Amino acid sequence: MKPDESPAPRPMVQAQGVRKSYGRLEVLKGIDLEVGAGEVVCLIGPSGSGKSTFLRCINHLETIQAGAIRVDGALIGCRAHNGRLYELSESEVCRQRADIGMVFQRFNLFPHMTALQNIVEAPMRVRRQPAEQARRRALELLERVGLLARAHAYPGQLSGGQQQRIAIARALAMQPKLMLFDEPTSALDPELVDEVLAVMRQLAEEGMTMIVVTHEIGFARDVGHRVAFMDGGVIVEQGAPQDILVRPRQDRTRAFLARVIGSRQAPESGPG
């Protein structure tokens, strides 16, 4: 269920005219998106539409060629001076990223570290937290994602769903203002998807600001405050989940949803 209270109107993310190219290939063609504090926005659309690239631009894993992105009022990746924008140093970018949690399709856990060690690493190195404080917080997060008993297991000893829950706990250990999820269930076996979505639902109920790239239409419908459909590097339309998922205005949105929902409802082929 969605939180009972509406999210605060203060914008947490403001993207204005964001463009991103790789050589001659323009992947983002002027993205405008505003996400309020406490809001959950789900990005849907076909592969190659620019959804993941846009997420990576928000925490400056990718450099944009035009436009601006602000998180909690601060320009990401650059600073303004005398009417011009200047690139931040790598250390300044790292400080900005510390406030933005990101969970990828692949779990990206350190294979030589236990679950507990994976979670405490960044708070100790980046936030300079004392080891015992970081450890207490990590154990609380492990309990929160239902994996306290697996604190000393290595990633190779965990299922994909468990690894992804550890990845979420690792991101939360930095106490971020914003969580970005890049198709967090796409690499999981179908029976493991629900355990990850349950953690994300809990975060939404607790008021975490989230931008979620997902093909899980049910999650977008039930948890998202807003859904944005992307295709060809642009946001084709956005609005309340019931409007975009049930009553889309654009033909491109209708065609995409017909393919996605139809493929999931299609019966399995029989033998022969």
Side-chain angles (χ1 to χ4, degrees):
M1 297 293 290
K2 298 177 188 176
D4 293 333
E5 296 184 1
S6 299
R10 176 176 61 88
M12 179 60 71
V13 179
Q14 293 172 296
Q16 299 168 306
V18 174
R19 293 181 176 270
K20 171 65 184 175
S21 298
Y22 298 100
R24 295 183 178 180
L25 176 63
E26 190 174 30
V27 179
L28 301 178
K29 302 176 182 179
I31 299 293
D32 294 308
L33 183 70
E34 188 168 294
V35 181
E39 189 176 18
V40 178
V41 173
C42 294
L43 302 181
I44 65 171
S47 298
S49 59
K51 307 182 302 297
S52 296
T53 299
F54 178 55
L55 278 199
R56 293 174 64 85
C57 290
I58 292 174
N59 68 355
H60 206 60
L61 289 173
E62 299 284 355
T63 303
I64 62 177
Q65 275 76 51
I69 299 174
R70 289 175 172 82
V71 173
D72 202 18
L75 273 171
I76 294 297
C78 58
R79 64 177 174 272
H81 182 68
N82 291 334
R84 298 185 63 183
L85 295 178
Y86 297 88
E87 188 79 9
L88 295 181
S89 68
E90 185 58 31
S91 62
E92 291 171 314
V93 170
C94 286
R95 283 196 291 273
Q96 288 189 330
R97 287 196 191 119
D99 291 327
I100 305 171
M102 186 160 184
V103 178
F104 300 87
Q105 298 178 35
R106 298 290 175 178
F107 325 121
N108 294 342
L109 299 177
F110 296 115
H112 62 288
M113 293 183 177
T114 65
L116 181 63
Q117 290 169 336
N118 265 281
I119 296 171
V120 302
E121 179 73 6
M124 290 173 58
R125 286 183 176 271
V126 179
R127 298 285 195 198
R128 304 299 184 191
Q129 285 185 6
E132 186 53 35
Q133 179 184 343
R135 184 178 182 277
R136 284 198 306 268
R137 172 68 173 160
L139 292 173
E140 291 171 1
L141 289 168
L142 282 166
E143 185 171 22
R144 182 175 178 180
V145 299
L147 290 172
L148 183 58
R150 304 294 281 157
H152 300 292
Y154 289 89
Q157 299 171 314
L158 302 171
S159 71
Q162 289 173 330
Q163 290 186 62
Q164 194 62 296
R165 283 187 281 160
I166 296 298
I168 293 173
R170 180 179 60 181
L172 292 174
M174 294 293 287
Q175 299 179 299
K177 301 174 181 177
L178 167 70
M179 285 288 288
L180 308 176
F181 292 88
D182 185 10
E183 298 192 36
T185 61
S186 65
L188 301 178
D189 292 332
E191 63 270 19
L192 302 177
V193 168
D194 285 348
E195 64 187 52
V196 174
L197 293 181
V199 174
M200 295 170 63
R201 288 172 188 267
Q202 180 184 359
L203 287 177
E205 290 170 357
E206 294 170 356
M208 174 63 74
T209 309
M210 298 162 59
I211 304 178
V212 184
V213 172
T214 184
H215 288 295
E216 299 292 337
I217 300 301
F219 177 88
R221 180 192 63 232
D222 298 339
V223 181
H225 294 99
R226 194 150 38 95
V227 174
F229 171 67
M230 286 185 65
D231 192 16
V234 300
I235 294 178
V236 177
E237 62 177 313
Q238 60 177 301
Q242 63 268 25
D243 293 331
I244 301 302
L245 301 177
V246 180
R247 297 181 296 274
R249 300 181 301 275
Q250 302 297 323
D251 290 341
R252 289 158 74 182
T253 313
R254 286 194 288 268
F256 170 77
L257 290 170
R259 287 196 304 272
V260 171
I261 296 173
S263 67
R264 298 195 174 198
Q265 292 178 344
E268 296 182 2
S269 301

